[in-house]
Amino acid sequence: MNVRVLSVRFVAWCGVLSLVLGSMIVTATVASAATITQSAPLTGSTTVGTSGAFTDQLGVTGSTGTLAFTATGGDVTHLLVSGPGVITTSGALAAGSYVISGTDSDTSGDTGAWSYTLTVGLITQSAPL
């Protein structure tokens, strides 16, 4: 074989190799996790007499998957949070303020923090008739 034929074959082989290797390169876009932001309600109120049956649902924005809430601080003895974000009391409470806080995450990898304050009063005032 002469040099010219070898040169053409080499160039053709390099082109095929480049095509094969080029098709093997895969690029992936990785979505960055977003921040879940707490929305209303941030607080709740009840009376001593009804505090044992108190419930409230935490609200958030920015979640793109199934949510899970975890309590990490505050008065976790008197206030409880379930996995889906329902705040309940552990029983009847004395008058005062109770705060619980924690983190939330969803199945898409988004995360956030939350805090909730429950005020327990002796009576509930209603609007005059």
Side-chain angles (χ1 to χ4, degrees):
M1 269 193 210
N2 66 28
V3 175
R4 181 176 165 87
V5 171
L6 285 176
S7 173
V8 169
R9 286 186 179 172
F10 179 75
V11 169
W13 183 82
C14 286
V16 169
L17 182 61
S18 175
L19 179 63
V20 169
L21 291 176
S23 67
M24 293 171 71
I25 298 172
V26 177
T27 58
T29 303
V30 177
S32 61
T35 299
I36 299 172
T37 305
Q38 183 179 4
S39 61
L42 307 176
T43 63
S45 62
T46 189
T47 64
V48 170
T50 60
S51 64
F54 179 83
T55 65
D56 205 354
Q57 175 67 51
L58 292 172
V60 298
T61 60
S63 173
T64 57
T66 303
L67 277 167
F69 292 83
T70 304
T72 58
D75 194 345
V76 295
T77 303
H78 296 104
L79 294 179
L80 310 169
V81 65
S82 67
V86 176
I87 298 285
T88 58
T89 57
S90 61
L93 301 176
S97 289
Y98 301 85
V99 178
I100 187 171
S101 60
T103 60
D104 46 34
S105 61
D106 65 23
T107 52
S108 297
D110 306 322
T111 60
W114 56 269
S115 180
Y116 187 88
T117 302
L118 176 63
T119 302
V120 179
L122 295 175
I123 59 170
T124 300
Q125 183 176 355
S126 58
L129 297 174

